[in-house]
């Protein structure tokens, strides 16, 4: 079945970006002039997703508003003869159908995904985390959607290789290799020490699931931090069903952390020759 829907949970509190996130959703913080969430939605749209479901929370309405039309700004720009800008903001509001559902209490990523259940029904769907940016020729989520269609399985999880001494920063999988870059998932461990890590394959925020995942999200108890962890539901599902991990091609930026955010900003700026010069000159001047 072709995947048309993507769930993007954005209800978190973004504590690593305080004080900015006291009033601005983390996902609306821009990489240069583009909000991070817009880069993530663009990835989904390029992959063929036609319906985005935000799992949102109180105070973060600007995320939905960003993907709505702003008719008064459009007519202001039209009258001011700023046609390029008018088209730019018009496009944001017309590219994709956006629905949203509230997560009334922030009880974890697993709980957030379960909140989207009424809007998913029994279709397979994609999940993209709003604070992970994937950059590459083929959109990260498209790589997983293609694998899901080919394997006809219960889930495909995006993977990337990390240095062995950094496993304690990530969720790490245990799996059996099936072919180059493809693993049959046996289990997952959250942030293991290098000596305890079953592999060096980490999980960024890209997944494709069949609707069976909801059964497992219903079964899991509260886990680490008192939250319903998506990892626990995936582990449970992998014990009974076919779940695969696929190594993603491209670059991943963990824009939920200050380091990853800075790296992404530099990478995006360096594509413009003028801005690249500013980066190089500034490094010389200020470091
Ligand atoms: P994170 O744990 O990285 O995001 O969750 P956070 O909680 O917003 O940020 P920090 O760690 O406090 O800085 C990954 C994604 O899952 C969403 C977040 O919005 C983020 O996009 N999330 C997390 C929810 O939607 N609901 C939750 O209960 C938890």
């Amino acid at each position: 079945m072709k995947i048309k829907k993507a769930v993007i949970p954005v209800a978190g509190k973004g504590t690593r970006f305080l004080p900015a996130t006291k009033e601005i959703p983390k996902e609306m913080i821009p990489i240069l002039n583009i909000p991070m969430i817009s880069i993530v939605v663009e990835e989904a749209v390029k992959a063929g997703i036609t319906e985005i479901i935000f799992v949102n929370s109180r105070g973060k309405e600007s995320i939905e508003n960003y993907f709505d039309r702003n008719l008064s700004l459009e007519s202001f720009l039209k009258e001011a003869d700023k046609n390029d800008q008018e088209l730019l903001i018009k496009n944001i509001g017309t590219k994709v159908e956006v629905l949203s559902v509230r997560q009334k209490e922030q009880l974890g990523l697993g709980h957030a995904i379960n909140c989207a259940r009424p809007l998913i029904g029994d279709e397979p769907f994609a999940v993209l985390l709003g604070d992970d940016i994937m950059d590459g020729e083929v959109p990260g989520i498209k790589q997983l959607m293609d694998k899901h269609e080919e394997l006809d399985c219960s889930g495909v999880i995006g993977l990337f290789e990390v240095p062995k001494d950094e496993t304690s920063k990530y969720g790490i999988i245990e799996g059996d290799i099936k072919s180059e870059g493809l693993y049959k998932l046996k289990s997952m461990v959250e942030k293991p020490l290098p000596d305890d890590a079953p592999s060096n394959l980490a999980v960024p925020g890209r997944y494709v699931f069949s609707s069976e995942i909801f059964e497992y999200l219903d079964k899991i108890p509260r886990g680490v931090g008192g939250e319903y962890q998506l990892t626990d539901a995936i582990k449970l599902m992998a014990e009974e069903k076919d779940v695969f991990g696929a190594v993603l091609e491209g670059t991943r930026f963990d824009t939920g952390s200050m380091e990853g955010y800075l790296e992404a900003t530099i990478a995006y700026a360096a594509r413009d020759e003028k801005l690249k010069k500013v980066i190089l000159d500034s490094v010389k001047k200020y470091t």
Side-chain angles (χ1 to χ4, degrees):
M1 193 184 215
K2 271 247 171 306
I3 295 177
K4 292 280 158 212
K5 296 180 181 178
V7 175
I8 307 186
V10 292
K13 295 200 183 303
T15 52
R16 284 172 290 171
F17 267 78
L18 281 168
T21 43
K22 178 171 170 278
E23 297 301 332
I24 306 166
K26 175 171 72 179
E27 296 79 4
M28 286 303 290
I29 294 176
I31 304 290
L32 303 174
N33 59 338
I34 311 287
M36 287 194 237
I37 190 66
S38 183
I39 299 174
V40 175
V41 167
E42 189 70 31
E43 177 189 333
V45 172
K46 271 199 199 138
I49 294 292
T50 52
E51 200 175 290
I52 301 282
I53 298 159
F54 286 125
V55 181
N56 209 347
S57 57
R58 180 179 291 274
K60 299 184 83 173
E61 297 81 6
S62 59
I63 297 177
E64 287 136 50
N65 292 346
Y66 182 80
F67 293 96
D68 194 1
R69 298 274 300 270
N70 182 336
L71 298 178
S72 65
L73 182 58
E74 283 175 30
S75 65
F76 167 80
L77 292 169
K78 193 183 171 81
E79 271 163 38
D81 251 346
K82 294 182 188 277
N83 300 323
D84 289 351
Q85 281 103 325
E86 185 205 348
L87 192 65
L88 182 72
I89 68 150
K90 202 173 183 172
N91 269 343
I92 299 167
T94 49
K95 237 181 223 173
V96 65
E97 183 77 30
V98 169
L99 301 174
S100 114
V101 62
R102 286 282 180 109
Q103 185 188 25
K104 293 175 186 160
E105 243 186 303
Q106 279 59 70
L107 296 178
L109 183 56
H111 179 261
I113 308 273
N114 219 359
C115 290
R117 187 181 198 156
L119 298 179
I120 294 290
D122 10 318
E123 292 176 44
F125 62 102
V127 174
L128 299 92
L129 297 195
D131 54 5
D132 260 310
I133 289 182
M134 286 297 310
D135 191 39
E137 215 170 291
V138 181
I141 199 65
K142 171 93 170 89
Q143 297 173 37
L144 302 185
M145 287 158 64
D146 290 348
K147 275 275 170 277
H148 182 264
E149 207 173 324
E150 177 192 323
L151 298 165
D152 191 21
C153 56
S154 300
V156 187
I157 292 162
L159 300 175
F160 70 110
E161 289 175 17
V162 294
K164 191 79 183 164
D165 59 348
E166 287 184 18
T167 54
S168 61
K169 289 196 212 158
Y170 305 97
I172 299 288
I173 69 136
E174 182 185 352
D176 291 328
I177 187 152
K178 289 286 150 199
S179 57
E180 207 197 330
L182 184 71
Y183 296 80
K184 173 95 191 319
L185 204 80
K186 279 163 68 180
S187 192
M188 275 169 91
V189 199
E190 264 314 316
K191 305 187 170 70
L193 292 171
D195 283 345
D196 303 329
S199 72
N200 69 333
L201 296 166
V203 179
R206 297 292 180 273
Y207 316 81
V208 167
F209 296 117
S210 73
S211 59
E212 288 163 315
I213 189 70
F214 295 120
E215 286 167 37
Y216 296 94
L217 286 168
D218 278 347
K219 279 186 198 163
I220 52 166
R222 288 187 191 226
V224 180
E227 296 188 341
Y228 293 98
Q229 301 288 347
L230 178 61
T231 305
D232 291 341
I234 297 172
K235 253 163 56 178
L236 212 57
M237 185 158 81
E239 283 170 17
E240 296 177 3
K241 309 268 167 167
D242 287 343
V243 181
F244 292 88
V247 176
L248 292 170
E249 280 169 27
T251 311
R252 178 246 181 182
F253 299 104
D254 172 17
T255 46
S257 76
M258 210 62 82
E259 294 83 356
Y261 173 74
L262 181 61
E263 204 184 327
T265 306
I266 292 172
Y268 277 74
R271 290 170 191 176
D272 177 293
E273 279 309 313
K274 261 200 216 150
L275 294 180
K276 187 173 175 177
K277 185 167 176 338
V278 174
I279 297 169
L280 297 174
D281 291 349
S282 303
V283 169
K284 267 196 219 135
K285 201 164 154 192
Y286 300 113
T287 60

